[in-house]
Structures are given as C-alpha cells and as structure tokens.
Amino acid sequence: METINSRISLVRKQFKLTLSEFGAKLGRAVSTVSEYEKEGKGITDRVIEDICREFYVNEDWLRTGEGEMFRARNTTNEELALQVGKLLKTDDEFTKNLFLEYLKLPPEMKTLFEDFVHNLAKSK
C-alpha cells in the first residue's frame, strides 16, 4: 500500500534529486529526508507544506494519494523558468533569463535559435 512516505520518495525521484539535493531544496539534512521516506514515519504539516510549495505538489495527493501528483494551475513564464532551473538543477540567473527571452521570441526566431543550438551541439 502506498503511504505518504513512499509518495515523498516519488516526488524526489520525479525531479531526479538525491536525498541531499532534495533536502537542500527543503532546508533539511540528508538524514532527515531519509527518515521522511521510511515507511511508518510521521510527517508534520510543515514538511508537507514545504514539499508542496517547493515542488508544486498537490497536497491532497501527498497526504492521501488521491488526485494528481502536481497542482493544476496557470503557470507564469517566471514560474516556468524557475521549474526549468529546478529540473536542470541550477539556480543560474543566465539560464533563467535565456529561457525567459526564448519564450518572448516570435515563432520564426525560435526556429532560428533552435537550429543554432542544434548546430552548436553538433560541433562539439
């Protein structure tokens, strides 16, 4: 049977984070995060709130397993850029700004930029 502990582990694995990386995002030690993932360990409301806020997790799903893992919401470009940064495991301001500027490009410029990036990758 799936528990809140296993769902916390699923969230961490969804973002491909180590215990240490997941803990750093939540301001918690590795050993603490490890405890969260152990079956039968109690999870405080504060921990649930932090996970839901940091990773946009649906609180009902985290607590009960019902519904979707992530919250449905209208995402701003800024929030989307932050999520891309999380997935890329970077807080780099350049990466965030590059992504935001890309989103502003008209379709034909996006195509040119994508071609440029593909050619750049091929030249390595």
Side-chain angles (χ1 to χ4, degrees), residues 3-118:
T3 65
I4 190 169
N5 309 89
S6 63
R7 287 188 291 277
I8 290 172
S9 179
L10 284 172
V11 170
R12 180 177 63 80
K13 291 173 183 174
Q14 178 73 28
F15 285 92
K16 297 180 171 85
L17 297 173
T18 64
L19 289 169
S20 177
E21 292 165 334
F22 190 75
K25 300 272 186 197
L26 297 172
R28 308 289 194 308
V30 175
S31 59
T32 303
V33 174
S34 178
E35 288 295 311
Y36 296 159
E37 294 186 9
K38 289 183 181 172
E39 297 303 317
K41 293 291 181 178
I43 306 297
T44 66
D45 287 340
R46 174 63 190 261
V47 170
I48 292 169
E49 291 166 8
D50 289 349
I51 290 170
C52 292
R53 183 190 67 252
E54 184 66 29
F55 298 100
Y56 301 100
V57 171
N58 173 353
E59 187 173 335
D60 289 334
W61 175 84
L62 188 57
R63 288 181 184 274
T64 68
E66 295 179 15
E68 297 296 321
M69 180 185 286
F70 297 105
R71 295 187 306 239
R73 61 191 181 88
N74 293 332
T75 304
T76 66
N77 286 348
E78 185 75 21
E79 290 171 325
L80 191 55
L82 290 171
Q83 284 302 314
V84 167
K86 286 179 185 180
L87 291 171
L88 296 175
K89 299 179 185 177
T90 180
D91 293 329
D92 182 8
E93 195 68 22
F94 173 79
T95 303
K96 181 179 124 188
N97 289 333
L98 179 66
F99 183 77
L100 289 171
E101 292 305 316
Y102 172 81
L103 291 175
K104 295 177 189 175
L105 293 174
E108 64 276 4
M109 293 298 289
K110 284 181 181 175
T111 301
L112 287 173
F113 182 76
E114 290 164 9
D115 290 344
F116 169 76
V117 171
H118 289 297

